[in-house]
Amino acid sequence: MATPAVTSISTDTGSGTPNAKGHQPPPRRYPVARSKNRIPCVQFLSPGRGTSISKGGSSPRATKRILVYFIPGNPGLAGYYTPFLETLRGLLDGSYPSPGTGTGSDAADREVEASVEFDLYAQNLLGFDDADHEIPFGTPIPGDGRDGNGQKQESLPFSLEDQICGVWDSLAAIVRSGLGDASTTVAGTRADGDGDGDQQTTNGDSETGNEEEERGKPKRHYYDQVILLGHSVGAYIGMEIFHRHHHQLALSQQTDPDQEVPFNLLAGMMLFPTIWDIAKSPNGLKFDRLIRNNAFMSNNAHKIAKWTVDWFPSWVLKSVVRNVMGFSDHGAEVTTNFLTSRDGIHQALYLARDEMGSITEEKWEREMWEARHDLEQDESKVVGEGEGKTKHWTQGDRFFFLFGKKDHWVADKTRDAFIEKRKTEHGERGRVRVLVDETGCGEKPGIPHAFCIHHSEVVAERVKTWIDEIVASL
């Protein structure tokens, strides 16, 4: 079994991140004081990452590196998805062996056959780790800053827009520099125990031997392409990343074709996605009635919930989550840590309330669904010779969706309308694959919305088949 590297990486929310129209996002009404601590994450690195390979006696060339970047749902805790990513890592290693990872003649075969290398990464959404913000939510920010009513500004949890900006910045940083080979524990603490949260990234040069520079080309990105995976609201965040990336790429083609884009999106795979009218779902209707449309509960639900869980020791909470709610051991561990954190509940409810108001009708133009960017590289123009620049490219955005048969966070009508719209408006041009889970039968339920608790393996197998299709078309 693969061993996950659970580490942390810095994120600077919102800096240089385009909003839905490709412009800078508006400033927050109330600032959030950030700390220099890093965001907890889980990563599964390719066993032979960074190895050069050759085929048929040709000169060595670098393996195509693909980053599989996973965006969690709400609560935005990467730890929930460790079994899913671990299973996917094993499936990918079985089909895409890294060069030199075999023995004897098998090793030689692998050097010939291997051409694609995957790194898997998932990072907490902002605000779900108490260390990623210096000031507790709801407390005054030091200084003389005041809002429009003359009240001292308070530190607020992170909004949906903040999360989108955070993912954009994190993704851009990782694609540029690569992931480090940190030896860490599943609990999210550094293996050496210093707990200082130092950034665990490298520029990749030590692993590749400056391959790009040796061939006379500048090394711009560590990863050639990115596959975005998103669960629940993470799917919405992922689609917004595609949307803004599409706008930025189109703008750069019009103004400066040689301008570098921060990453190249190969495909989007969205699992139990809440990307359209979440407030109309069964759970969305309940949330609106009990919390969002109730002024008292809207302002105090997180306080009541936190006050309640604080009455119980963590071992009691874990026992209830595991034995009463039926969570797996790993799910119970992550959930207990979430419930006992200082600001986790506040962040989850704040984000959920923002989701209800923001995830409404579809807002992405048809050009994004039908986008096919074929910016071919001109190999005759090598920067090392002083002529031209090598352009970044993608072979076409592709979208894969897995919906639940009965998902309490996605209304059946919403799901069916989404599927029908893809068929009528785009057809094959949209390059969209939609699958509705049909594993349930009679009394047997299908895959639930929270698949990461008990159904990680079957979903990982589905994602693996999609990745196979993508790789086959490269």
Side-chain angles (χ1 to χ4, degrees), residues 301-313 317 339 345:
H302 65 281
K303 299 176 183 177
I304 297 172
K306 183 59 178 168
W307 178 82
T308 301
V309 299
D310 282 349
W311 273 94
F312 303 96
L317 293 173
L339 293 175
I345 293 175

Side-chain angles (χ1 to χ4, degrees), residues 108-316:
D109 292 340
R110 287 171 183 243
E111 288 189 6
V112 173
E113 295 173 0
S115 61
V116 182
E117 179 177 281
F118 298 92
D119 282 349
L120 278 55
Y121 181 86
Q123 177 178 294
N124 275 18
L125 295 182
L126 300 175
F128 286 93
D129 183 75
D130 292 339
D132 74 7
H133 48 284
E134 292 179 345
I135 304 174
F137 298 145
T139 58
I141 296 177
D144 297 327
R146 297 184 181 275
D147 61 24
N149 297 321
Q151 302 295 318
K152 285 189 66 66
Q153 292 181 332
E154 293 184 346
S155 175
L156 291 179
F158 295 92
S159 67
L160 183 57
E161 177 64 26
D162 294 329
Q163 304 294 352
I164 297 168
C165 292
V167 169
W168 179 285
D169 292 339
S170 165
L171 181 57
I174 293 172
V175 167
R176 181 175 60 251
S177 301
L179 292 169
D181 295 303
S183 175
T184 53
T185 66
V186 178
T189 55
R190 293 274 301 278
D192 56 12
D194 62 16
D196 61 7
D198 289 342
Q199 184 172 348
Q200 299 293 325
T201 60
T202 67
N203 61 13
D205 289 346
S206 62
E207 297 169 346
T208 62
N210 296 319
E211 296 162 357
E212 299 283 350
E213 287 80 352
E214 289 174 1
R215 294 200 302 275
K217 296 180 182 180
K219 178 166 175 47
R220 298 170 184 261
H221 290 170
Y222 183 85
Y223 293 102
D224 299 295
Q225 292 170 315
V226 176
I227 296 176
L228 280 184
L229 267 65
H231 173 225
S232 192
V233 69
Y236 178 86
I237 294 172
M239 294 306 298
E240 271 294 307
I241 297 296
F242 266 95
H243 171 63
R244 300 176 191 201
H245 179 269
H246 172 70
H247 272 272
Q248 187 177 80
L249 186 57
L251 181 63
S252 67
Q253 288 180 274
Q254 294 174 3
T255 58
D256 182 7
D258 291 329
Q259 180 180 353
E260 182 181 12
V261 293
F263 40 77
N264 302 313
L265 297 178
L266 177 60
M269 301 179 183
M270 309 307 171
L271 310 173
F272 304 90
T274 56
I275 58 175
W276 199 2
D277 284 335
I278 186 174
K280 295 181 180 179
S281 68
N283 281 357
L285 292 171
K286 294 176 184 177
F287 186 91
D288 265 5
R289 183 173 65 254
L290 297 176
I291 296 179
R292 185 165 171 251
N293 295 331
N294 182 315
F296 175 80
M297 290 300 294
S298 182
N299 293 323
N300 296 285
H302 65 281
K303 299 176 183 177
I304 297 172
K306 183 59 178 168
W307 178 82
T308 301
V309 299
D310 282 349
W311 273 94
F312 303 96
S314 60
W315 68 267
V316 172

Side-chain angles (χ1 to χ4, degrees), residues 428-443:
E428 293 183 358
R429 293 176 301 166
R431 305 167 67 80
V432 179
R433 180 82 53 81
V434 180
L435 176 67
V436 179
D437 172 49
E438 298 286 353
T439 58
C441 181
E443 297 294 326

Side-chain angles (χ1 to χ4, degrees), residues 231-232 271-274 278 280-284 402-413 415 436 447-451:
H231 173 225
S232 192
L271 310 173
F272 304 90
T274 56
I278 186 174
K280 295 181 180 179
S281 68
N283 281 357
L402 174 60
F403 285 96
K405 185 68 173 178
K406 288 294 181 182
D407 189 334
H408 295 300
W409 285 107
V410 180
D412 291 349
K413 290 183 178 180
R415 178 200 63 209
V436 179
I447 303 174
H449 184 85
F451 75 89

